[in-house]
Amino acid sequence: MKEETIKVKNRRGLHARSATLIVKTSSKYKSKIMIIKDNMEINAKSIMGVLMLAAEYDTVLRILADGEDEDSALEEMVKLFEHGLIEE
Amino acid sequence: MHITLKELLEIKEISEILKPFCIKEPSAVIGSNRLFSVGLALSGIFRDKPENLMLFGEDEYSYIQSLDPENSCQRLQRLLSEQKCAGMIFLKGCMPDFLSSGGKQSGNIMISEQGWEKTATIVSEILDELLAPVMTKHGVFMDIYGVGVLLTGESGIGKSELALDLISRGHRLVADDVVEIRKIRFDKIKGQAPNVLKGYIQIKGLGIINVEKLFGIISTRSSKRIEMVIKLIEDDDFTSVQYLGTEECFTSYFDVSLPLKTIPVARGRDMAKIIEVATRDFMMKRKGVNQSVDFEHHRRDILQEFYNELKG
């Protein structure tokens, strides 16, 4: 299991479109990917969960990946947040 | 979990019965749901309960009145002043004169408009709810025949689709995707949806659906005790599947043990029907009837008869 701490750099926080992007990206991987905010732990592959996080600008989140492709999964997730959740 | 006295007093149900009389430390932390009677503490036998509220009622009042004024004042002041408790609730009409006349006041004092029983019950209940340990879990939570069934499994296995199927069969949705689990008693846990997601379900290809609007008021329910867990797994993973069902499996949340059924999902299997039957089976077991064990006895009896005939 791998873990990384990131900050939401998106000015508008996690809105509908960026939430969709998170789900799309994490669903590409086989690993279980979780996002943790305070005592909330949600599945990154579920849009309802990501929307519920209501993570605003500068919120600190922990991303957890567990599975065979955890390294590449975590790497891409972190990159996604660093680029402000914009589709390339 | 904890809450400050100020936050507690701002809650509507609390503000209806508790009136602040003298709050010296609004930031006092309440970390325990137990409400103590002041009782023996007045006689000097006392362990510090800095995170608890205390209740001062008729009995304490008559005891204090029986002491000489100076002594009684001292004893009560000691409890109030040295952060021995997070706050003290006096029942209306039971406040010793030296406090109510506005004499030396210290600590956190509230007055309850209600009697002992009502005050104790309401305050404890609200504290129970507020201080209950909480966690979120990925899954779908449904009320099936009145039994709280938590469905878990990997994303994409079809939990939400299954929930939709169960809803159209007349069962009730509590939470889709994100379930908040609270320990409400040492042996009980309760599940509900986070406020934002209440009554909604997400189906891939359709988007987010308002279940209550589409299926009516009885299709949802706001919270329910969790009684059974069903884990959905891929069809090719047979290691954890029960063939005879004679062994009982359990899982636990917050140290509360719950029966666990692991069910493989395959094309052509009517999952909703299987979940319904699993729930009926759970209800039978709760009544003390175990069908798998019954079958085992039945099989043994028949074999025994067969041997007897052979011998005879």
Side-chain angles (χ1 to χ4, degrees), chain A:
Chain A
M1 186 154 66
K2 290 275 164 67
E3 193 187 319
E4 204 74 58
T5 304
I6 51 101
K7 250 185 193 179
V8 177
K9 292 187 175 166
N10 196 324
R11 283 273 162 202
R12 288 167 59 201
L14 291 188
H15 53 81
R17 189 176 294 167
S18 49
T20 312
L21 196 57
I22 290 172
V23 176
K24 270 190 187 165
T25 310
S26 53
S27 298
K28 288 197 295 197
Y29 295 93
K30 276 194 176 160
S31 295
K32 193 175 174 182
I33 305 173
M34 308 297 286
I35 302 178
I36 302 169
K37 179 190 158 195
D38 306 325
N39 59 355
M40 271 191 288
E41 183 177 322
I42 62 100
N43 191 323
K45 294 179 186 177
S46 93
I47 188 89
M48 297 281 264
V50 179
L51 283 174
M52 196 208 66
L53 270 185
E56 285 154 20
Y57 177 66
D58 246 10
T59 309
V60 176
L61 301 173
R62 278 161 60 208
I63 303 179
L64 249 94
D66 186 16
E68 45 189 286
D69 49 7
E70 55 189 30
D71 290 312
S72 42
L74 195 60
E75 196 185 326
E76 192 173 350
M77 289 298 286
V78 171
K79 217 191 273 171
L80 192 66
F81 275 95
E82 272 173 359
H83 291 153
L85 298 162
I86 298 160
E87 225 158 342
E88 282 175 16

Side-chain angles (χ1 to χ4, degrees), chain B residues 261-306:
Chain B
K261 284 255 179 279
T262 304
I263 300 178
V265 179
R267 273 174 71 172
R269 281 189 112 191
D270 184 348
M271 289 312 292
K273 190 89 237 168
I274 292 171
I275 303 294
E276 278 184 339
V277 173
T279 312
R280 284 169 193 252
D281 183 52
F282 167 83
M283 292 161 89
M284 289 285 269
K285 280 193 182 129
R286 199 165 53 178
K287 279 196 126 187
V289 184
N290 188 324
Q291 300 176 73
S292 308
V293 173
D294 279 358
F295 169 75
E296 192 54 26
H297 290 163
H298 167 72
R299 188 181 69 99
R300 223 177 285 160
D301 289 348
I302 287 181
L303 278 180
Q304 194 62 49
E305 257 175 54
F306 179 67

Side-chain angles (χ1 to χ4, degrees), chain B residues 88-126:
Chain B
M88 202 178 280
I89 301 167
F90 288 84
L91 296 188
K92 203 174 185 183
C94 292
M95 185 173 272
D97 300 335
F98 67 89
L99 276 178
S100 54
S101 63
K104 284 179 284 175
Q105 285 172 352
S106 54
N108 294 323
I109 302 173
M110 292 144 279
I111 298 179
S112 168
E113 311 263 298
Q114 304 290 341
W116 178 279
E117 203 183 337
K118 215 167 177 180
T119 309
T121 317
I122 295 176
V123 175
S124 303
E125 262 177 23
I126 291 170

Side-chain angles (χ1 to χ4, degrees), chain B residues 6 8 16 25 34 49 73 79 113 154 216 219 225 244 285 288 291 295 310:
Chain B
K6 184 170 174 276
L8 180 74
E16 277 167 6
E25 273 187 72
R34 273 193 72 186
K49 300 179 180 71
C73 174
L79 285 180
E113 311 263 298
E154 295 294 312
S219 61
R225 181 181 162 197
L244 288 174
K285 280 193 182 129
Q291 300 176 73
F295 169 75
L310 272 186

